Amino acid sequence: MLYVLDLDFHEGPRSLAGGLLVGPAGPVLVDPGPASALAGLRRGLAEHGLGVGDLQAILLTHIHLDHAGATGVLARENPHLRVLVHERGAPHVADPSKLVASASRIYGDRMEALWGEVAPVEAGRIQSLRGGEHLEVAGRDIEVAYTPGHAWHHVSYLDRETGTACVGDVAGVRFAPSEEVIPPTPPPDIDVERWRASLDTIAAWSPARLLLTHFGTFDDVGAHLGRVRERLDEMASLARQSLDRPAADDEERIIWFRSRLREVLAARLGAEAAAAYETAQPLEHYWHGLARYWRRKAS
């Protein structure tokens, strides 16, 4: 079986999800979230009669702290735990110092409160992935695909038994009952063309449902992926327009982009629901990632 664990992150319930796969050889966790949400993770495991010591492996879609920050703490608590991650992310799981330094430049003195401890994992317990693997994890048949666009080290996992594709952030942010979806585009790795190709990769799996870290499972796979593609192109266009504005500095460009995107979301969702999406990720973060993408293409 596959279960969605509500990690009850700072924004409250139904903002951050972990995936729990229970196979004949034990449970596997997909994206454990940050250490600051460990209490929610433990509650979710306990609801299924499990604890951290029961976990056989952690499958990481990518190493951003909201997805993977607790990995080292969990590995320290469970000495038998294996960690599977893309080969570009593996060195940062073994030594997260550069990852923490980069995040600290963004979050400053809020780092500890937001994410909690980010601990290393012994290199010998990390299995590097490239995409294309067929894994047997805890008795489950898991396929791996390389799905960059949101991050260079992003992978997705397909659990064939349930037909569920665990897609991290590459299939966007969506809060039921809304059909609205937003592709999260923080720096530094945004690549629109590769993101589109990753959506094609997921569609080619023909999954029965998608598991999104933000938040939950959705069965309308084709329509959902189509909306991700449309929103990605729309947001990239807004960022490009902001960069083309005459006599504007970056602060003015961010204000313009944030205002336009906020208007778009409010028109589709209403102000209250739109605010929930903005809480999940400040809109200026979307601009920074897309602006870097356009500037890199122009260089």
Side-chain angles (χ1 to χ4, degrees):
M1 295 293 293
L2 184 144
Y3 305 98
V4 177
L5 303 184
D6 188 339
L7 302 182
D8 199 18
F9 190 49
H10 294 290
E11 287 88 355
R14 300 187 62 78
S15 66
L16 190 62
L20 177 65
L21 292 164
V22 180
V28 175
L29 197 58
V30 182
D31 285 357
S36 59
L38 274 173
L41 174 63
R42 295 184 197 280
R43 281 196 300 272
L45 291 173
E47 288 174 1
H48 298 283
L50 300 169
V52 172
D54 297 305
L55 296 173
Q56 302 298 304
I58 290 177
L59 308 180
L60 296 178
T61 61
H62 60 304
I63 62 169
H64 291 171
L65 295 180
D66 56 334
H67 293 254
T71 303
V73 175
L74 295 171
R76 185 175 63 209
E77 185 172 335
N78 178 346
H80 305 293
L81 192 65
R82 291 191 298 141
V83 178
L84 288 78
V85 61
H86 188 265
E87 61 186 4
R88 293 191 180 194
H92 301 286
V93 174
D95 178 4
S97 57
K98 290 183 179 179
L99 178 65
V100 170
S102 176
S104 296
R105 288 193 289 271
I106 298 173
Y107 298 105
D109 58 8
R110 297 185 298 144
M111 271 290 293
E112 177 65 25
L114 276 174
W115 309 119
E117 182 184 3
V118 183
V121 177
E122 297 171 11
R125 297 169 63 185
I126 300 170
Q127 180 176 342
S128 294
L129 304 171
R130 302 187 69 182
E133 292 89 350
H134 288 252
L135 307 173
E136 184 176 326
V137 183
R140 308 274 308 217
D141 177 24
I142 306 293
E143 296 182 29
V144 184
Y146 180 45
T147 50
H150 172 77
W152 283 110
H153 58 280
H154 196 294
V155 293
S156 297
Y157 302 95
L158 177 65
D159 176 50
R160 278 292 178 193
E161 181 180 331
T162 63
T164 304
C166 304
V167 293
D169 278 344
V170 78
V173 173
R174 178 177 171 185
F175 300 113
S178 174
E179 294 183 349
E180 184 60 38
V181 58
I182 300 179
T185 58
D189 295 342
I190 301 305
D191 188 304
V192 172
E193 287 82 11
R194 287 182 178 270
W195 200 322
R196 291 193 195 107
S198 293
L199 295 173
D200 291 340
T201 297
I202 293 168
W205 268 341
S206 298
R209 66 192 56 82
L210 304 172
L211 171 59
L212 277 57
T213 302
H214 315 280
F215 175 90
T217 56
F218 297 93
D219 299 338
D220 57 336
V221 174
H224 178 98
L225 295 177
R227 285 192 293 271
V228 177
R229 189 185 299 273
E230 291 172 2
R231 301 302 183 253
L232 180 61
D233 290 346
E234 180 179 68
M235 289 168 55
S237 177
L238 283 176
R240 180 62 181 269
Q241 290 175 54
S242 78
L243 294 174
D244 290 340
R245 287 171 59 78
D249 60 20
D250 278 359
E251 184 176 352
E252 292 170 316
R253 293 180 177 110
I254 291 169
I255 292 171
W256 182 90
F257 174 88
R258 186 171 53 209
S259 176
R260 298 291 85 72
L261 186 54
R262 189 176 285 151
E263 289 173 0
V264 168
L265 291 174
R268 290 179 181 145
L269 298 167
E272 184 176 348
Y277 284 82
E278 188 167 355
T279 299
Q281 179 107 188
L283 301 186
E284 56 268 26
H285 289 190
Y286 295 104
W287 182 87
H288 283 293
L290 289 165
R292 189 176 189 276
Y293 159 77
W294 286 119
R295 285 168 168 163
R296 190 171 63 241
K297 281 179 69 71
S299 64

